[in-house]
Amino acid sequence: MGSTDHEDVELSSSVVLIGNEFAQVRLEVVPGPHGDHLRISSIRTGLTRTLSPTSVESLSRLSIGPYLDALETPFGPEPDLAFSADFP
């Protein structure tokens, strides 16, 4: 596996590993039903998503707002207190 000048990035023909102090992800080009797709895997959680080229392009068109909103609760919406066992 080749390496670039940046110590947190490793390259091969179809895999890139990137990370920082908060996250590490594996980006991999995989065959899909209509061409190559991008598979994104979290090293820490093991969660994986596979995106078509159209989905990746649409992400590039979003403003920064939706990304920031998603980062407020990166593991999903906060539980509704009305249905929490800890709610009095």
Side-chain angles (χ1 to χ4, degrees), residues 8-27:
D8 290 339
V9 177
E10 295 182 28
L11 299 175
S12 76
S13 60
S14 64
V15 175
V16 176
L17 299 176
I18 60 173
N20 61 20
E21 64 271 26
F22 302 109
Q24 289 188 326
V25 295
R26 174 186 172 113
L27 306 173

Side-chain angles (χ1 to χ4, degrees), residues 16 30 40 43-44 47-48 50 53 59 65 72-74 80 82 84:
V16 176
V30 296
I40 304 169
I43 304 298
R44 184 177 56 82
L47 296 173
T48 299
T50 302
L59 289 173
E72 286 184 22
T73 56
D80 186 346
S84 171

Side-chain angles (χ1 to χ4, degrees), residues 15-86:
V15 175
V16 176
L17 299 176
I18 60 173
N20 61 20
E21 64 271 26
F22 302 109
Q24 289 188 326
V25 295
R26 174 186 172 113
L27 306 173
E28 183 177 8
V29 176
V30 296
H34 303 289
D36 290 338
H37 283 56
L38 177 64
R39 179 177 293 149
I40 304 169
S41 303
S42 167
I43 304 298
R44 184 177 56 82
T45 67
L47 296 173
T48 299
R49 296 290 181 263
T50 302
L51 303 172
S52 70
T54 305
S55 297
V56 174
E57 181 180 342
S58 68
L59 289 173
S60 73
R61 295 175 188 225
L62 290 176
S63 67
I64 193 69
Y67 292 113
L68 295 177
D69 291 344
L71 290 174
E72 286 184 22
T73 56
F75 302 108
E78 296 297 323
D80 186 346
L81 290 179
F83 297 104
S84 171
D86 297 330

